């Protein structure tokens, strides 16, 4: 009986510890805390249309660019936090993952030029002489006021990769549940030097995402087959994704002519308004290919005589989705890189009973944008494409596979490789 009591007591203690850890999880999602921060873009300086992953010991630079809407300049600073594969802070201390002091000032900023909405544009790159990143893995970047560390403007994510292994993903519409219909399935190989990885069953954690979405990303830890110099992940039903549809597009690059996807642009004091074409559900419409940027956006003013970053104006952009009535059991959300980190009040569309449409009005900088509508059922946080956009196996999606390794005795997850594959190619 005494042994049983001790066992029960130990079990209770373990459960309480797990509960406390779960409650103390840090929210490391990309979040905009200050509503004056706009047009946040985190990308490689060499290519803004691929995932923001720096390769160690290369010439890669991560570019962080954003606006702060104000007439006055704000003096800003940034720091980074190292995270594991699950985006929770690792056990490393700052001196183990960053050189020197873990903060630096943002010195590259300039005021907008000839715009109705006044802003300062800020940008910086990583790594730089003030901050070198010493280890691979996930990083949470935090930007805040120089004279008030508690005044955080936003936090955002990026990753640093060692390139120690090769990751080779493939995507097929011939899935384990159906053939050329609504789904796509990811398989991938991880290749490395013989005996370089001692125990891939326990060391590897792999994260697979579709079009940079976090809500439906999948974590897999056990490969199906293991060889001397490779492991294979296939026939895993967790890696079957709804195929969705091509992103919708619009452009507001010219304030005085009609642009793609735009019904009209008008000036109402004190700024421009862009009324987009009314969208309709595509779930019962035949698939139509369109080359997109997988949800990303580009700032551009076709009439600018200098830098787009400083001369592109802001417009209240009006989205309308005509569903012919209210959809019960959930909510309609806008999705695209331009909404990354912004509060739900901006991403969730409002239903207008008088028109039978869902609407959203967002302050967006001039440029070219990708977007789609996601249906989020009540009680869930995962967006579904099928109800509004439809799921078509022909859709070209971007799939990112990140492979983390934690050898026995290590205190953090190394990002040792990643691979990108596109369905239908």
């Amino acid at each position: 009986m005494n042994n049983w009591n001790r066992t029960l007591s130990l079990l209770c203690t373990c459960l309480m510890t797990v509960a406390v850890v779960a409650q103390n999880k840090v929210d490391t999602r990309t979040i905009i805390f200050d509503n004056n921060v706009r047009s946040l873009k985190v990308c490689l300086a060499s290519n803004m249309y691929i995932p923001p992953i720096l390769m160690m010991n290369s010439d890669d630079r991560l570019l962080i660019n954003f606006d702060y809407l104000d007439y006055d300049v704000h003096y800003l600073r940034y720091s980074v936090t190292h995270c594991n594969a699950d985006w929770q802070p690792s056990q490393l201390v700052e001196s183990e993952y960053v050189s020197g002091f873990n903060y630096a000032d943002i010195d590259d900023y300039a005021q907008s030029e000839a715009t109705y909405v006044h802003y300062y544009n800020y940008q910086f790159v990583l790594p730089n002489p003030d901050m070198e990143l010493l280890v691979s893995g996930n990083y949470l970047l935090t930007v805040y006021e120089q004279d008030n560390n508690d005044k955080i403007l936003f936090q955002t994510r990026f990753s640093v990769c060692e390139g120690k292994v090769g990751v080779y993903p493939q995507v097929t519409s011939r899935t384990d549940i159906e053939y050329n219909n609504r789904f796509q399935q990811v398989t991938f190989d991880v290749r490395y030097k013989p005996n370089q990885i001692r125990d891939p069953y326990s060391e590897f954690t792999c994260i697979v995402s579709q079009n940079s979405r976090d809500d439906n990303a999948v974590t897999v830890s056990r490969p199906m087959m293991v060889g001397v110099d490779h492991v294979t992940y296939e026939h895993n039903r967790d890696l079957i994704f709804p195929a969705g549809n091509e992103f919708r597009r619009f452009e507001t690059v010219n304030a005085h002519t009609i642009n793609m996807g735009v019904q009209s642009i008008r000036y109402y004091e004190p700024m421009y308004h862009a009324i987009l074409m009314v969208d309709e559900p595509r779930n019962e419409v035949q698939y139509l290919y369109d080359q997109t940027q997988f949800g990303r956006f580009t700032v551009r003013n076709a009439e600018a005589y200098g830098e787009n970053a400083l001369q592109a104006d802001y417009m209240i952009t009006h989205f309308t989705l005509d569903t012919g009535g209210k959809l019960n059991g959930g909510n309609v959300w806008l999705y695209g890189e331009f909404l990354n980190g912004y509060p739900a009040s901006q991403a969730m569309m409002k239903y207008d009973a008088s028109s039978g449409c869902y609407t959203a009005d967002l302050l967006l900088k001039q440029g070219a944008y990708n977007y789609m509508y996601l249906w989020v059922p009540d009680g869930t946080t995962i967006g579904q494409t099928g109800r509004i956009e439809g799921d078509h196996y022909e859709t070209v999606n971007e799939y990112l596979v990140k492979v983390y390794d934690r050898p026995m005795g290590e205190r953090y997850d190394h990002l040792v490789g990643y691979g990108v594959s596109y369905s239908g190619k």
Side-chain angles (χ1 to χ4, degrees), residues 159-173:
S159 299
V160 177
C161 182
E162 296 177 10
K164 183 178 178 181
V165 304
V167 183
Y168 304 96
Q170 293 182 328
V171 187
T172 180
S173 56

Side-chain angles (χ1 to χ4, degrees), residues 182-255:
R182 298 170 298 155
F183 296 96
Q184 296 169 347
Q185 186 163 1
V186 179
T187 64
F188 59 97
D189 288 338
V190 181
R191 297 189 172 274
Y192 42 83
K193 296 177 182 178
N195 301 318
Q196 185 179 18
I197 305 297
R198 292 186 178 182
D199 184 7
Y201 281 112
S202 63
E203 291 186 29
F204 280 166
T205 298
C206 306
I207 311 293
V208 183
S209 59
Q210 178 195 58
N211 298 326
S212 301
R213 288 175 56 183
D214 291 327
D215 61 315
N216 66 346
V218 175
T219 301
V220 293
S221 56
R222 294 189 66 82
M224 182 177 182
M225 294 184 294
V226 176
V228 175
D229 60 355
H230 72 281
V231 293
T232 300
Y233 297 80
E234 63 182 0
H235 297 297
N236 187 328
R237 293 203 172 194
D238 290 339
L239 296 180
I240 299 176
F241 292 82
N245 208 334
E246 304 297 344
F247 279 86
R248 302 173 190 253
R249 296 191 292 159
F250 73 88
E251 293 184 356
T252 52
V253 298
N254 194 313

Side-chain angles (χ1 to χ4, degrees), residues 86-112:
D86 62 356
W87 285 101
Q88 288 300 291
S90 70
Q91 298 179 16
L92 300 182
V93 297
E94 292 181 348
S95 60
E96 293 180 287
Y97 61 80
V98 66
S99 62
F101 297 104
N102 186 13
Y103 64 84
D105 296 334
I106 304 176
D107 298 322
D108 188 353
Y109 54 85
Q111 190 174 15
S112 61

Side-chain angles (χ1 to χ4, degrees), residues 82-91 138 406 411-413:
H82 188 266
C83 298
N84 286 317
D86 62 356
W87 285 101
Q88 288 300 291
S90 70
Q91 298 179 16
N138 293 332
R406 182 182 287 210
R411 294 161 43 238
Y412 71 98
D413 295 330

